[in-house]
Amino acid sequence: MSRGTIVDKIWEAHKVVQSSGGLDLLYIDLHLVHEVTSPQAFEGLRLAGRKVRRPERTIATIDHNVPTDDPYHITDPIAKKQIDTLRENCEAFGVTLFDLDSPYRGIVHVIGPELGLTQPGMTIVCGDSHTSTHGAFGALAFGIGTSEVEHVLATQTLWQKPPRTMRVEIKGTRHPAISAKDIILHFIATYGVSVGRGYIFEYTGEVVQSMTMEERMTLCNMSIEAGARAGLVGPDETTFQYLAGRPYTPKGAAWEEAIRYYQTFQSDEDAVYDAYVELDITDLKPYVTWGTHPGMGTTIDRTVPDPSSFDDPNTQESVRRALRYMDLTPGTPLSDIEVDIVFIGSCTNARLEDLREAARVIRGQKVHPRVQALVVPGSEQVKRAAEAEGLDKIFIEAGFSWRAPGCSMCLGMNPDLAPPGKRVASTSNRNFEGRQGPGARTHLVSPAMAAYAAIYGRFADVSEQYPQAPVEVK
């Protein structure tokens, strides 16, 4: 029986049957695929003589492997093979593909929401861990493995264990300089990278309610880094205003009917959760990670920690290893750490609002002569909208490289690699060893903090620019 949470309601609405082993067969509303995790799944269909069960419920895009300096010049034979294979599979199985020349192409977790494919109350899966991004719309969205990709293609369903739910309440007074990225990094640093293991987060509280959809997507995107299966925010008027008029959302009277349906996916006031945590962000400063996972971070006004300051011996050892890899000395102020590369992009922070905020910081400034800086919009639509507002000119005049859409430097699967030993201020979601290239050292920050680091050639407190009225960029 439903306990009144949004997760329970979506789960019950999509449960086809329950197995004797305690697994539920869920109907999947939307299946997103890309070039990296889909080839074996499609090949499995071929070998079994199966078709895609609901091809209209599957959408494909090219994002992970594509070069962002020239998307049509693919020199890596593995990348080219994966992209060509996706094209062939989509043609053979009748799946819609947003190819390199499509105005709708982009990072899979950026295009789903901006096209209106992502809607409240849906179940959404993709062979990518950051599928949780779509939960910002009140959808149950999570990443799956390649064998599960094949199962969804063949049946439009997926066996899943009923989840536990955790209410994450974010409260307090939010400083104008504090982004959703700072908030989620603070949450992970406070509660750890395993706090969400076995849970689905529902983010609540006045801070979340006041967030834009882009901010909510950043929050849900990084739920995975706290160990959660997924993260959600209940749909509200902000959600509906964002979705209205998108290419794949209902129109006219059907839209009004859709809103009434969406509104049924809200947690009841007396909903029962399996766990509850809260986070007060009053007086929070911008965040910088110093280690090799997203939980190893602190505010810009602090220093690199001493391993001995941690109680647990295993934690002490992991911190020592992280500092060796990052080439950092305990006690070093974060504001003294110099950067070599600044990357603004990824499915976490490559939306139009992210680029506007970075452009606000960089406008009229110049990139430090020692720094290589690049901006990679999350989609063709983001790129065109940014160019219409003149954001590209602001970045280019400052010394940034303005690129074509793609996953880019978020992960080492395309030419946008950081050389060994180079230090990167990155708006992406993971700072694991070698994530942005073998031996590269990644620090996770917000778009504003990344832009500020580009100016100074080191990390600096972007809240120094506040309070002030936002600059309208045109």
Side-chain angles (χ1 to χ4, degrees), residues 118-137:
T118 303
Q119 298 174 26
M122 278 187 164
T123 50
I124 302 173
V125 297
C126 175
D128 187 282
S129 57
H130 293 101
T131 307
S132 56
T133 307
H134 306 262
F137 293 80

Side-chain angles (χ1 to χ4, degrees), residues 199-347:
Y199 291 96
I200 291 177
F201 293 155
E202 182 185 347
Y203 295 101
T204 67
E206 65 267 24
V207 174
V208 177
Q209 291 168 3
S210 66
M211 283 183 172
T212 65
M213 289 310 301
E214 286 86 350
E215 291 177 316
R216 295 177 187 182
M217 281 186 262
T218 295
L219 207 62
C220 291
N221 175 277
M222 291 194 64
S223 301
I224 304 307
E225 312 311 329
R229 183 76 169 119
L232 296 88
V233 177
D236 57 14
E237 191 58 35
T238 300
T239 317
F240 308 146
Q241 288 181 6
Y242 178 97
L243 287 173
R246 302 276 172 178
Y248 281 85
T249 52
K251 305 297 185 292
W255 172 241
E256 298 303 319
E257 183 180 346
I259 290 180
R260 288 192 291 272
Y261 174 71
Y262 299 156
Q263 289 171 332
T264 65
F265 293 101
Q266 291 282 354
S267 292
D268 300 334
E269 288 188 10
D270 59 351
V272 179
Y273 297 84
D274 296 292
Y276 168 81
V277 296
E278 65 177 46
L279 189 75
D280 192 324
I281 63 163
T282 303
D283 299 327
L284 182 64
K285 289 276 193 177
Y287 247 71
V288 181
T289 63
W290 47 262
T292 52
H293 67 59
M296 292 179 169
T298 190
T299 51
I300 181 62
D301 57 335
R302 303 272 180 94
T303 61
V304 175
D306 191 314
S308 63
S309 65
F310 297 88
D311 296 330
D312 178 56
N314 291 328
T315 302
Q316 292 177 3
E317 181 53 36
S318 67
V319 170
R320 288 191 193 95
R321 174 177 172 171
L323 296 185
R324 282 197 298 270
Y325 181 84
M326 296 296 289
D327 192 27
L328 292 174
T329 302
T332 302
L334 293 184
S335 56
D336 284 353
I337 300 174
E338 295 183 345
V339 300
D340 305 298
I341 299 170
V342 170
F343 167 60
I344 299 174
S346 86
C347 62

Side-chain angles (χ1 to χ4, degrees), residues 1-5 8-9 11-12 15 18 272:
M1 179 178 290
S2 172
R3 298 174 301 167
T5 72
D8 298 324
K9 293 178 180 182
W11 197 274
E12 289 300 316
K15 185 164 68 174
Q18 185 178 41
V272 179

Side-chain angles (χ1 to χ4, degrees), residues 56-111:
E56 74 279 8
R57 293 285 185 174
T58 302
I59 299 290
T61 190
I62 298 170
D63 57 2
H64 281 59
N65 284 337
V66 61
T68 62
D69 54 351
D70 182 357
Y72 297 98
H73 186 59
I74 303 169
T75 57
D76 185 326
I78 296 176
K80 187 176 187 308
K81 177 65 174 175
Q82 288 182 331
I83 291 171
D84 288 343
T85 299
L86 181 61
R87 289 186 179 122
E88 294 164 5
N89 286 329
C90 289
E91 167 117 16
F93 289 95
V95 171
T96 296
L97 169 65
F98 299 134
D99 209 332
L100 295 179
D101 58 354
S102 171
Y104 288 164
R105 185 187 72 82
I107 302 174
V108 65
H109 306 312
V110 175
I111 68 170

